[in-house]
């Protein structure tokens, strides 16, 4: 419901026949919650914001956000890239 305010945001259910790589190729930024798609986007040099610490964030592949304020700042930065 909150994404209705954004005409370029889409939430996809995990079980569909659309390739995540096809979606990444069309993406200017990725917001994810503990998914390897964040790492895959990072490899493709697409800006990523993780909503949770991931198993791959420990190796510094993704920047770890320390608190809510820092996360909100990074979300604003991501939105500037996307819009």
């Amino acid at each position: 419901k909150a994404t209705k305010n954004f005409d370029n945001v889409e939430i996809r259910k995990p079980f569909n026949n659309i390739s995540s790589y096809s979606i990444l190729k069309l993406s200017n930024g990725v917001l994810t919650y503990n998914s390897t798609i964040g790492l895959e986007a990072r490899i493709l040099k697409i800006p990523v914001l993780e909503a949770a610490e991931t198993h791959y964030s420990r190796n510094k592949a993704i920047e770890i956000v320390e608190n809510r304020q820092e996360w909100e700042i990074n979300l604003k930065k991501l939105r500037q890239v996307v819009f």
Side-chain angles (χ1 to χ4, degrees):
K1 293 180 183 180
T3 61
K4 289 182 181 180
N5 297 329
F6 304 103
D7 57 353
N8 66 342
V9 173
E10 230 177 287
I11 296 177
R12 294 285 183 174
K13 296 190 183 218
F15 301 106
N16 59 47
N17 57 0
I18 299 172
S19 164
S20 58
Y21 299 107
S22 297
I23 295 171
L24 279 179
K25 289 179 183 178
L26 300 171
S27 300
N28 294 325
V30 173
L31 171 63
T32 185
Y33 183 87
N34 204 12
S35 170
T36 56
I37 198 70
L39 179 60
E40 295 164 85
R42 184 75 172 140
I43 290 168
L44 294 172
K45 301 197 184 320
I46 298 170
V48 176
L49 179 58
E50 292 284 354
E53 187 174 337
T54 66
H55 60 282
Y56 55 84
S57 62
R58 287 180 236 131
N59 67 10
K60 309 227 190 265
I62 301 291
E63 179 182 346
I64 298 173
V65 179
E66 299 294 329
N67 55 53
R68 182 181 176 142
Q69 182 180 11
E70 189 177 326
W71 193 88
E72 289 176 357
I73 290 168
N74 286 343
L75 178 60
K76 286 180 185 177
K77 287 179 186 176
L78 181 64
R79 288 183 63 197
Q80 289 173 353
V81 170
V82 174
F83 294 108

